[in-house]
Amino acid sequence: MNDFIYSSETDQQDDEVFSFLTDYQDDEKVSEMKFDLDAMPVLPLRNLALFPHVLMPVHVGRPSSLKLIREAYKKKKEVALFSQKQAETEFPEKDDLHKYGTIAKILRILEMPDNNVTVIFQGLVRCELKQIVQDAPYIKAEVELAREDRPEKDDKNFQVLADTCKEYAITLLKLSELKDEATFAIRNIPNATASINFISNNISLSVKQKNELLSCSSILDRGQLLLRMLSTELQMAEIKANIQMRAKEDIDQQQREYFLQQQIKTIQDELGGSAQEQEIEELREKSLKMKWSAEVQEVFNKELAKLERTHSQSPDYNVQLSYLQTMLGLPWGVYTTDSLNLKNAEKVLNKDHYGLEKVKERILEHLAVLQLKNDMKSPIICLYGPPGVGKTSLGKSIAAALKRKYIRMSLGGVHDEAEIRGHRKTYIGAMPGRIIKGLAKAGSSNPVFILDEIDKLSSDRQGDPSSALLEVLDPEQNNTFHDNYLDIDYDLSKVMFIATANNLNSIPAPLLDRMELIEVSGYITEEKVEIAKKHLVPKEMEANGINKHDIKFAKKTLEAMVESYTRESGVRELEKKINKIFRKLAREYATDGFFSRKEIKPEDLYYFLGLPEYNRDKYQGNEYAGVVTGLAWTAVGGEILFVETSLSKGKGGRLTLTGNLGDVMKESAMLALEYIKAHAAMLQIEDEIFENWNIHVHVPEGAIPKDGPSAGITMATSIASALTQRKVKANIAMTGEITLRGKVLPVGGIKEKILAAKRAGIKEIIMSAENKKNIEDIQDIYLKGLEFHYVNDIKEVFALALSEEKVTDAIDFTIKKTTTKE
């Protein structure tokens, strides 16, 4: 009998020889062996199967498998080998393994030159996998010995069966050009049972087929099944050889591709049909299950017929195939069922987001109407407000409340119209727009679709995406949305589109007109503290692997973080600061094994976050003439600003503006001065003052650009205060645009400005009478402690803001004027 030697290149002095088969005289010894069947070590095999009485080398690479092998070899324990159903499974469980395997003995572990480990196994007896009892550091399982019926020794039919299997296997090896050692080994196996197991183990069959053979409890049945498999493999090999014979000829490099195609065609003819025909038939069957209209079915059939007429090697074939697959991948007529439980929806929205009452109210109204009508077009909502207030994340909550699919599409920087409408399929690399791709990904035609950062759209020579969105966001048109690639109308009327934006000024008016605008304003300190307590702290604890019972945040600590370490309308920066604290705590625990603090107090913030980054805006008093507190809106929320006016002796009539002011703000200052000049008598200002004194208006923090008309009345009051040397009343701030006639016009960002005023300790606010409607729409919590004065004319502002008291070191314009004459 042929022997095969396995040895390591580093262990050449060992001349031990291994046979590919064990001696069948040892069957009785195997039956006498005692195995630990309740906790047998299990080695999962990829693309391999081991049969009883056969020796087989196995390359071992998984760390868990290496540990198993070394421990079993050291303790001289047997191992159960089971084949995996899928070779790529890295951590197999019971369902990932075939039911039957083989208990084997480790004969040798070979360390190969390339650092791979090869193990020589000797198959002993079949076994059946019952249940896994341990999965770490390697698998152990409860197994049961599997019964194996053998024919009588003098059974001539079985002997003939075994001999036939040998001949088939040898013929197959010859056709495969593997003639020498393997053929010699098969010919010289004297035992019929051994030959069947040896052939089953070593012939080129799939793992599934080998496990079918291994699962046979009768050697006779295994032999008959093996014979059928060998017959099939032999026929396939003969067909392949016949194809090669027919296609073989002298060919040059240019004919190589044709030769390969002929081989494929011959194989397809032998199998009874081409892959193209099978593919087309699959597409046709899928189309019959779709819930689309007769019109769409007609278009599909037309395009499918075009595919049938196209050669499979033509470039147009793949283009046409991709188009049809895209049609089949869309959720035509597929809708998820909305959850119409208003109480549950309200609970979900309140759980995920603090505040945002208007948005929640709008969603609940939509659900209520849907409950009554049972069918309606979804609203097009635009949430606008400063960054970090929860506009995008609110979309997820809405989807969860409605139990709809959620899709988000970022529009920031999109400048190609084809991103929305897609390319025509005649173009190379054409694909549908992101709307259609989003629906295909969602798998339903009524998801919650977030159009994020819609104000960041731009346009260039490739088109205007904002114009392409007009059809998408128009409830009267989007039921027949036309994608250029699809070239068929698609119904988007059931999709709930929610757009988000920071600034409405950059959104085209036609697009704004199609959306229902809901302002998501900034949060006051109390709200930020609640959001941090209920949402941000638990979220960041989990993200950093810290147990919620290990660390506590004092409420005063969160308030100090909001006031001294963040300056924003939302809570994004606050979330980053909380994350930074937990990162440092995680490092402490990883280094020392314990937390240095169980509760984070305000005095601990210096250790975690360093020096305070911001000082709370504070009212600076009214000790100087010409200093007035104004209210401004920025991208991060409301702020207070100070307008300062000073006078200097000179030729007069010169106005100097500093503080990094924009054109609109400069115009407001000039308007204010011209109004005061025209109404100098009203303020008891001598005309000679304008001739002998220069006016300098400054807005501090010159590194920050400032613009807008809302500081108009602030500048007018500042100039008037400086020219009259009258103090501005204490704890008063103002906002409003001024005209040349002295009219006070309304401005925006009222809620943010009010929040800034409260932070700074302002008690009174002056604004346009037309802004009163904005105040009435704000909750009382924001207005507590504030008194509002509504004005129509700048004269009313002067009456409210300027006191009769003059500053201590007031300029004596009369003396200055006399001195000038002398």
Side-chain angles (χ1 to χ4, degrees):
M1 181 174 177
N2 187 43
D3 292 327
F4 292 81
I5 301 174
Y6 287 82
S7 65
S8 169
E9 290 185 7
T10 60
D11 190 23
Q12 294 181 1
Q13 74 275 13
D14 191 340
D15 294 326
E16 184 179 350
V17 174
F18 293 101
S19 171
F20 255 57
L21 288 167
T22 60
D23 189 351
Y24 264 76
Q25 303 289 329
D26 294 335
D27 280 352
E28 293 180 2
K29 293 182 180 179
V30 171
S31 63
E32 293 173 0
M33 294 177 71
K34 294 184 179 181
F35 304 108
D36 185 7
L37 300 176
D38 293 330
M40 174 73 68
V42 171
L43 179 67
L45 299 179
R46 305 181 201 256
N47 300 317
L48 290 174
L50 176 63
F51 285 73
H53 309 100
V54 178
L55 266 66
M56 183 177 71
V58 176
H59 295 288
V60 178
R62 280 184 276 215
S64 59
S65 299
L66 288 169
K67 186 173 181 63
L68 182 154
I69 292 302
R70 290 194 170 103
E71 286 190 12
Y73 186 72
K74 185 177 180 181
K75 297 178 180 178
K76 297 183 179 181
K77 293 285 186 180
E78 290 75 26
V79 179
L81 279 64
F82 290 88
S83 303
Q84 293 183 189
K85 294 177 181 178
Q86 300 293 333
E88 62 271 16
T89 304
E90 192 63 30
F91 303 102
E93 298 177 355
K94 181 185 176 183
D95 293 336
D96 299 318
L97 301 174
H98 284 281
K99 184 177 180 181
Y100 290 95
T102 302
I103 295 176
K105 177 181 178 183
I106 301 174
L107 296 184
R108 176 173 287 183
I109 299 176
L110 305 174
E111 302 286 345
M112 308 305 288
D114 57 355
N115 295 324
N116 286 327
V117 176
T118 299
V119 183
I120 308 298
F121 285 102
Q122 175 187 347
L124 299 177
V125 63
R126 284 192 326 128
C127 62
E128 181 181 349
L129 179 64
K130 289 300 183 182
Q131 64 179 0
I132 291 177
V133 296
Q134 173 185 309
D135 55 8
Y138 51 82
I139 299 174
K140 284 188 177 182
E142 179 185 346
V143 301
E144 183 177 293
L145 296 180
R147 181 179 57 84
E148 192 167 75
D149 297 331
R150 295 184 184 176
E152 299 294 332
K153 290 184 179 180
D154 56 350
D155 189 336
K156 294 183 179 180
N157 290 332
F158 178 64
Q159 187 62 48
V160 170
L161 175 65
D163 291 340
T164 307
C165 288
K166 281 186 183 182
E167 294 302 321
Y168 274 37
I170 291 168
T171 305
L172 189 59
L173 290 171
K174 287 180 179 179
L175 289 173
S176 304
E177 300 181 354
L178 300 172
K179 303 176 182 178
D180 299 324
E181 292 84 2
T183 302
F184 182 82
I186 292 173
R187 285 191 185 279
N188 289 275
I189 299 174
N191 189 293
T193 300
S195 63
I196 287 175
N197 281 343
F198 181 83
I199 294 169
S200 299
N201 200 94
N202 293 284
I203 207 70
S204 295
L205 296 171
S206 68
V207 175
K208 183 179 178 181
Q209 289 176 308
K210 288 185 178 182
N211 276 276
E212 287 178 13
L213 293 167
L214 189 59
S215 64
C216 293
S217 60
S218 166
I219 291 293
L220 182 61
D221 293 341
R222 186 179 302 160
Q224 291 172 345
L225 179 58
L226 175 63
L227 184 61
R228 289 197 296 272
M229 290 181 179
L230 288 172
S231 177
T232 303
E233 292 294 320
L234 187 58
Q235 290 179 43
M236 294 298 294
E238 288 173 346
I239 292 170
K240 181 180 178 181
N242 188 32
I243 292 169
Q244 291 174 342
M245 287 294 293
R246 284 190 290 169
K248 190 174 182 180
E249 59 185 22
D250 294 329
I251 56 175
D252 55 20
Q253 188 63 30
Q254 287 75 19
Q255 293 173 310
R256 179 174 177 79
E257 185 177 348
Y258 173 77
F259 167 70
L260 294 172
Q261 295 297 336
Q262 285 298 110
Q263 278 193 314
I264 293 171
K265 187 175 183 301
T266 306
I267 291 170
Q268 290 172 345
D269 291 342
E270 292 290 343
L271 293 173
S274 68
Q276 180 183 358
E277 291 173 355
Q278 294 176 0
E279 204 165 43
I280 290 171
E281 188 57 35
E282 287 177 7
L283 293 174
R284 184 176 283 109
E285 289 177 2
K286 286 182 181 178
S287 71
L288 298 176
K289 300 176 184 177
M290 300 299 291
K291 298 179 182 179
W292 51 29
S293 64
E295 179 186 354
V296 178
Q297 181 69 54
E298 184 180 347
V299 172
F300 180 86
N301 292 339
K302 180 181 176 183
E303 297 296 330
L304 188 63
K306 191 185 295 183
L307 182 70
E308 288 182 286
R309 296 192 298 270
T310 306
H311 192 276
S312 61
Q313 301 307 312
S314 168
D316 292 337
Y317 182 84
N318 285 329
V319 173
Q320 192 69 11
L321 180 62
S322 296
Y323 174 75
L324 292 170
Q325 288 173 338
T326 300
M327 285 189 69
L328 291 171
L330 285 171
W332 301 88
V334 178
Y335 302 99
T336 56
T337 304
D338 287 335
S339 172
L340 301 179
N341 188 328
L342 294 182
K343 289 184 179 179
N344 181 62
E346 186 175 10
K347 184 179 178 182
V348 171
L349 293 172
N350 288 332
K351 178 185 175 185
D352 294 344
H353 288 82
Y354 184 86
L356 308 179
E357 302 303 331
K358 283 188 181 179
V359 189
K360 296 175 182 176
E361 184 180 351
R362 180 63 185 88
I363 299 305
L364 294 174
E365 286 171 359
H366 171 71
L367 282 176
V369 176
L370 191 62
Q371 194 176 46
L372 294 175
K373 192 180 178 186
N374 201 29
D375 182 30
M376 65 176 291
K377 293 180 179 178
S378 288
I380 313 293
I381 295 172
C382 179
L383 307 176
Y384 71 95
V389 294
K391 300 184 297 297
T392 304
S393 62
L394 191 60
K396 280 188 179 179
S397 298
I398 292 171
L402 295 172
K403 293 190 177 177
R404 289 192 182 189
K405 301 286 183 158
Y406 170 79
I407 294 293
R408 175 184 166 272
M409 182 172 82
S410 177
L411 296 175
V414 172
H415 55 81
D416 188 354
E417 181 185 342
E419 291 281 334
I420 309 298
R421 287 189 178 277
H423 303 81
R424 295 194 179 278
K425 67 175 184 287
T426 51
Y427 290 98
I428 295 174
M431 60 180 68
R434 292 170 67 180
I435 301 289
I436 292 297
K437 285 198 285 189
L439 292 176
K441 181 180 178 182
S444 77
S445 292
N446 65 335
V448 173
F449 208 120
I450 304 298
L451 302 173
D452 212 7
E453 308 289 358
I454 198 171
D455 56 327
K456 307 298 190 301
L457 283 171
S458 58
S459 59
D460 61 8
R461 58 183 180 82
Q462 293 175 309
D464 183 4
S466 62
S467 298
L469 280 174
L470 292 177
E471 182 185 5
V472 176
L473 300 181
D474 190 340
E476 299 301 322
Q477 298 181 41
N478 64 9
N479 61 331
T480 55
F481 172 68
H482 191 86
D483 184 273
N484 290 330
Y485 179 83
L486 199 61
D487 206 22
I488 309 172
D489 291 341
Y490 196 93
D491 186 4
L492 300 179
S493 63
K494 300 293 191 297
V495 178
M496 178 176 280
F497 287 104
I498 299 177
T500 70
N502 298 132
N503 186 6
L504 297 181
N505 295 333
S506 59
I507 303 177
L511 195 57
L512 273 178
D513 185 57
R514 284 163 166 77
M515 298 186 290
E516 181 178 345
L517 302 178
I518 299 178
E519 183 180 7
V520 184
S521 55
Y523 301 109
I524 60 175
T525 300
E526 291 78 6
E527 288 179 321
K528 290 182 181 180
V529 169
E530 286 300 318
I531 291 170
K533 184 179 176 183
K534 293 180 179 178
H535 300 286
L536 303 185
V537 171
K539 176 184 174 183
E540 294 306 321
M541 270 191 171
E542 184 179 353
N544 288 280
I546 296 176
N547 193 297
K548 63 181 181 180
H549 301 296
D550 292 338
I551 302 293
K552 292 183 180 180
F553 257 90
K555 191 172 182 180
K556 294 254 182 213
T557 307
L558 294 171
E559 187 174 339
M561 289 176 66
V562 171
E563 297 291 348
S564 302
Y565 291 91
T566 65
R567 178 167 287 179
E568 57 178 348
S569 289
V571 291
R572 189 169 289 148
E573 187 66 24
L574 178 60
E575 184 178 7
K576 292 177 184 176
K577 298 298 181 187
I578 294 171
N579 180 270
K580 185 175 181 179
I581 291 174
F582 284 129
R583 288 202 309 270
K584 286 205 171 189
L585 288 169
R587 182 179 175 182
E588 278 185 3
Y589 191 84
T591 305
D592 305 327
F594 61 89
F595 294 113
S596 62
R597 295 162 177 80
K598 293 296 183 182
E599 183 177 6
I600 310 300
K601 298 179 180 178
E603 54 267 26
D604 298 325
L605 292 180
Y606 176 78
Y607 169 76
F608 289 106
L609 303 177
L611 290 170
E613 299 176 21
Y614 304 101
N615 292 320
R616 181 171 178 172
D617 292 333
K618 292 184 179 179
Y619 173 67
Q620 295 183 356
N622 66 331
E623 298 302 317
Y624 302 93
V627 179
V628 183
T629 306
L631 299 174
W633 181 90
T634 68
V636 296
E639 290 185 0
I640 65 170
L641 56 82
F642 302 99
V643 178
E644 304 172 346
T645 301
S646 68
L647 304 176
S648 61
K649 185 79 181 299
K651 294 181 180 180
R654 190 173 72 175
L655 174 65
T656 303
L657 301 171
T658 56
N660 202 350
L661 308 183
D663 292 338
V664 177
M665 207 163 182
K666 290 178 181 178
E667 290 171 0
S668 296
M670 288 187 284
L671 277 171
L673 179 58
E674 290 303 318
Y675 177 84
I676 291 172
K677 284 182 178 180
H679 298 81
M682 178 190 72
L683 294 168
Q684 299 178 356
I685 301 172
E686 297 292 336
D687 293 337
E688 290 82 358
I689 293 176
F690 298 107
E691 298 174 4
N692 297 296
W693 295 85
N694 295 323
I695 301 172
H696 187 155
V697 177
H698 176 66
V699 183
E701 297 188 38
I704 302 173
K706 310 167 191 73
D707 202 5
S710 63
I713 65 171
T714 311
M715 289 185 162
T717 306
S718 177
I719 295 171
S721 173
L723 291 172
T724 61
Q725 290 295 289
R726 292 161 63 184
K727 290 183 179 181
V728 176
K729 291 180 181 178
N731 299 312
I732 196 166
M734 58 191 70
T735 182
E737 182 180 355
I738 187 176
T739 70
L740 197 56
R741 294 177 296 158
K743 295 293 182 185
V744 180
L745 303 180
V747 292
I750 295 298
K751 182 179 177 182
E752 283 77 10
K753 292 176 180 178
I754 290 173
L755 297 183
K758 284 177 70 71
R759 286 198 302 265
I762 298 295
K763 303 298 182 185
E764 299 178 62
I765 296 177
I766 301 173
M767 63 177 64
S768 170
E770 293 185 42
N771 280 126
K772 187 174 182 181
K773 61 181 182 294
N774 301 105
I775 299 297
E776 292 172 348
D777 202 32
I778 297 174
Q779 296 179 32
D780 292 339
I781 187 175
Y782 299 100
L783 310 178
K784 188 177 180 181
L786 293 174
E787 182 181 354
F788 294 92
H789 302 285
Y790 304 105
V791 297
N792 291 299
D793 194 276
I794 191 65
K795 297 174 187 176
E796 300 175 57
V797 177
F798 293 156
L800 289 166
L802 297 177
S803 67
E804 295 300 325
E805 181 186 0
K806 292 198 174 186
V807 294
T808 307
D809 55 347
I811 299 172
D812 190 340
F813 293 109
T814 306
I815 295 173
K816 299 293 181 182
K817 183 172 68 173
T818 306
T819 305
T820 303
K821 285 183 179 181
E822 290 176 356

